[in-house]
Short mmCIF file of all heavy atoms in Angstrom, two decimals:
data_model
loop_
_atom_site.label_atom_id
_atom_site.label_comp_id
_atom_site.label_asym_id
_atom_site.label_seq_id
_atom_site.Cartn_x
_atom_site.Cartn_y
_atom_site.Cartn_z
N MET D 105 0.85 -1.20 0.00
CA MET D 105 0.00 0.00 0.00
C MET D 105 0.87 1.24 0.00
O MET D 105 0.57 2.24 -0.63
CB MET D 105 -0.90 0.01 1.24
CG MET D 105 -1.89 -1.15 1.27
SD MET D 105 -2.86 -1.27 -0.22
CE MET D 105 -2.68 -2.97 -0.61
N SER D 106 1.99 1.18 0.76
CA SER D 106 2.83 2.38 0.82
C SER D 106 3.38 2.68 -0.57
O SER D 106 3.55 3.83 -0.94
CB SER D 106 3.96 2.16 1.81
OG SER D 106 4.75 1.05 1.39
N SER D 107 3.65 1.62 -1.32
CA SER D 107 4.20 1.86 -2.66
C SER D 107 3.18 2.59 -3.52
O SER D 107 3.51 3.44 -4.31
CB SER D 107 4.61 0.54 -3.31
OG SER D 107 3.48 -0.31 -3.37
N ARG D 108 1.90 2.24 -3.33
CA ARG D 108 0.89 2.93 -4.12
C ARG D 108 0.83 4.40 -3.75
O ARG D 108 0.71 5.26 -4.60
CB ARG D 108 -0.48 2.30 -3.89
CG ARG D 108 -0.95 1.52 -5.11
CD ARG D 108 -2.33 1.04 -4.98
NE ARG D 108 -2.38 -0.40 -5.16
CZ ARG D 108 -3.21 -1.20 -4.52
NH1 ARG D 108 -4.06 -0.72 -3.64
NH2 ARG D 108 -3.20 -2.49 -4.73
N ARG D 109 0.93 4.67 -2.43
CA ARG D 109 0.85 6.06 -2.01
C ARG D 109 2.00 6.86 -2.59
O ARG D 109 1.85 7.93 -3.13
CB ARG D 109 0.89 6.16 -0.47
CG ARG D 109 -0.35 6.83 0.06
CD ARG D 109 -0.22 7.24 1.49
NE ARG D 109 0.26 6.16 2.32
CZ ARG D 109 1.25 6.33 3.22
NH1 ARG D 109 1.80 7.48 3.38
NH2 ARG D 109 1.67 5.32 3.94
N SER D 110 3.22 6.31 -2.48
CA SER D 110 4.36 7.08 -2.97
C SER D 110 4.28 7.21 -4.48
O SER D 110 4.74 8.18 -5.04
CB SER D 110 5.66 6.42 -2.54
OG SER D 110 5.58 5.03 -2.76
N ARG D 111 3.69 6.18 -5.13
CA ARG D 111 3.56 6.29 -6.58
C ARG D 111 2.63 7.43 -6.95
O ARG D 111 2.87 8.17 -7.89
CB ARG D 111 3.02 4.98 -7.15
CG ARG D 111 3.56 4.69 -8.56
CD ARG D 111 2.94 3.46 -9.13
NE ARG D 111 3.19 2.29 -8.32
CZ ARG D 111 2.27 1.36 -8.07
NH1 ARG D 111 1.08 1.46 -8.56
NH2 ARG D 111 2.56 0.31 -7.33
N SER D 112 1.54 7.58 -6.17
CA SER D 112 0.62 8.65 -6.54
C SER D 112 1.24 10.01 -6.27
O SER D 112 0.97 10.97 -6.94
CB SER D 112 -0.69 8.50 -5.77
OG SER D 112 -0.43 8.63 -4.38
N ARG D 113 2.09 10.07 -5.25
CA ARG D 113 2.76 11.34 -4.99
C ARG D 113 3.65 11.72 -6.15
O ARG D 113 3.74 12.86 -6.53
CB ARG D 113 3.62 11.21 -3.71
CG ARG D 113 3.64 12.49 -2.91
CD ARG D 113 4.62 12.41 -1.77
NE ARG D 113 4.31 11.36 -0.81
CZ ARG D 113 5.26 10.65 -0.18
NH1 ARG D 113 6.51 10.88 -0.38
NH2 ARG D 113 4.92 9.69 0.66
N ARG H 1003 9.37 1.64 -7.94
CA ARG H 1003 8.32 1.51 -6.96
C ARG H 1003 7.36 0.37 -7.27
O ARG H 1003 6.49 0.06 -6.49
CB ARG H 1003 7.50 2.80 -6.90
CG ARG H 1003 8.29 3.98 -6.41
CD ARG H 1003 8.31 4.03 -4.90
NE ARG H 1003 8.96 5.26 -4.48
CZ ARG H 1003 9.91 5.31 -3.56
NH1 ARG H 1003 10.31 4.22 -2.99
NH2 ARG H 1003 10.46 6.44 -3.23
N LYS H 1005 5.40 -2.84 -7.45
CA LYS H 1005 5.32 -3.87 -6.41
C LYS H 1005 6.05 -5.14 -6.79
O LYS H 1005 7.03 -5.52 -6.18
CB LYS H 1005 3.84 -4.18 -6.12
CG LYS H 1005 3.26 -3.32 -5.04
CD LYS H 1005 1.91 -3.82 -4.61
CE LYS H 1005 0.95 -3.76 -5.78
NZ LYS H 1005 -0.40 -4.18 -5.38
#
Side-chain angles (χ1 to χ4, degrees):
Chain D
M105 296 307 131
S106 60
S107 58
R108 251 187 236 146
R109 239 194 310 133
S110 45
R111 212 184 301 139
S112 63
R113 215 188 299 145
Chain H
R1003 295 275 186 228
K1005 270 191 298 183

